[in-house]
Amino acid sequence: MDSAAQRVAAARAALLEAYYRARDTGDADLMAAAALDLPSSQRFGTHPGHVPALIHEAYAVAGTPVSRCRLAAALARAWVYGGDAQRAVTFAREAVALADGLGEPEVVAEALDAALVAHWGPDDFTERLALSARLADAAAHLTDPGQRSTAHLWRLTTAWECLDVVSVQRQLRALDLLAEESGAPRDAFFAASRRAMHALVTGDIEAADHLIAVTDELGRRTAEPDVEAVTHSLAAARALRADDIASLREEAAAFAAFGAAEGVPSVSAEAARLWLAAEEPDRALELLNQLAGAGLDTVARDVDFLLTVTSLVGVAAELHVDDILGDGVRLLEPFAGRAVLNAGAVTFHGVVDDYLHRAEQALGRPGATAWRHRAATSYQRIGATWWQERLVAVRPPSATARPLTVHLHQDGNRGWVVGRGDATVGLPDLKGLHYVRELLRHPGVERSALALSAAAPGHAGTVVADSETGEVIDRQALAAYRQRLREIDAELDTAGSWNDQAGLDRLRLEREALLAEVRAATGLGGRRRRFGSTEERARVAVRKAIAAALDRVQQHDAALARLLRDTVHTGASCHYDPDPARPVTWLLDPPTTDSATGPAPESLP
């Protein structure tokens, strides 16, 4: 039996032959009819060759408004499929304008599909929502399965983008029914592939395996040019969830080869992510440097912008490439609350907030916790169990991580020795280093800031009586904050639709800001803090002392300072939370012999 690739090539050759025959006749209507089928022979994202030129040739001699409208729509699709969405916009706008004047539902549906394809970039989401709703209205009374399928796929894509789980389920059911009614392998292919994606998202691996096999079998019976892209995407997602290293290496190699051969950045970025998951960090770093060496601002803001940037940010976070992470946070923040999909919504790649969490965490920024909470909330809402577990689980040590030996002890002359292996520096007697060392001695143990402060040299056993100089905020303000929090929680719990993502994000941001105010105003057990209280003064003093000490460490060893900022947490209570992915042997007391330092490690992850 011919392979899927051979079937696609044969179909493409037949379409081109039909067009050439029509052109030889000089009949504009025959040319239009043949040209309209040419975009169906394109593989998404690859160079379009002469397909747009042939369609434009027919468009230029179109004899009727209907033909010109449909050819303008086809030309827009051809340019987007060929990776040049900017050229598509003008033709898509013309198609919609002509279709609106004609008022024929079939033609309107074609034009709206072209407009959606041309506005598939990250900045066009609001317009995409409106266009997909118009397309659904136009296709509602059409009998053509292809146009109905297109409408359902667009509604499914936008539902995934804004994490509208109810709409996702409804459109999946609509695709199932369409496949049953039409009996066409192509419709069944779309229904099975999107069901497979949903099964992977929700963690139903048994169903996913069955649906991936069905998708592969149906794909071989059709001449869809993107069959291999769909099956490889699903197989890679399955391998990630199973932590199947052998399959991950196979898929990484396939993605890397295709991305390089066709010049598709998003596929190469996915290859970097897969190489990293396959325990090949050097290959991942090589691709990261190729794609983002000039900065992430060079990534085209097209259909795969979010996929490309998040894939690269995910790799950079694991490998601690800080300059790329800084760019990534700046570029991704405007799209918080959105899902990351590949073209056609074949696979789900998490939510933008997750990647912001990873980037901020790797950079040692305090905003990481808020992004992690938002990502976890999104995953819980849509039932993305694997993603949620991955977010909250403690990462195992990396296969390439080496335990580090790090000095953080006094030198016998009231100074400090700080650094890795033999690469140590001398620092003055900083109170913050005493606090850090005390926390490092007891991993995972909560210590109140007051107890930590009292343990510092010169303060041992000293406890100052509380003063009564006033509360941080008064009872009335605190009660108002808590009432507003209850109102916000009620609004979030009873939200009937998730389409207003911006409104939901505003509520969540307000909630986080109010929680921060309440936390700042209350101590352990919810007691209100007082400006002059011993606990509050200790909290501020310990935080400032540790921050100042880590700033001094930063001047000599930025990676060590980042590690300490990631793992040492301050507040009313403080603790050291070791990172299993970056194992460290801390030398907290002066060595008795020179040999006690052990071998010097190569680098800090």
Side-chain angles (χ1 to χ4, degrees), residues 200 212 229-241 247-248 251 255 347:
L200 287 171
I212 291 172
V230 170
T231 54
H232 274 292
S233 294
L234 291 172
R238 173 64 173 85
L240 280 168
R241 280 146 186 77
S247 295
L248 283 168
E251 293 301 331
F255 274 70
T347 44

Side-chain angles (χ1 to χ4, degrees), residues 279-355:
E279 301 178 353
E280 298 278 359
D282 292 342
R283 294 189 178 190
L285 182 60
E286 181 181 0
L287 283 172
L288 180 67
N289 289 332
Q290 288 177 9
L291 296 166
L296 292 178
D297 287 302
T298 60
V299 177
R301 298 180 77 89
D302 58 12
V303 53
D304 279 330
F305 171 82
L306 287 181
L307 176 60
T308 303
V309 173
T310 53
S311 295
L312 296 175
V313 164
V315 173
E318 290 290 327
L319 301 179
H320 291 275
V321 185
D322 289 359
D323 53 343
I324 291 176
L325 294 176
D327 280 352
V329 170
R330 173 174 52 81
L331 290 171
L332 292 176
E333 277 187 329
F335 307 106
R338 292 260 293 274
V340 181
L341 312 169
N342 67 346
V346 176
T347 44
F348 174 82
H349 294 268
V351 295
V352 170
D353 310 65
D354 191 346
Y355 295 93

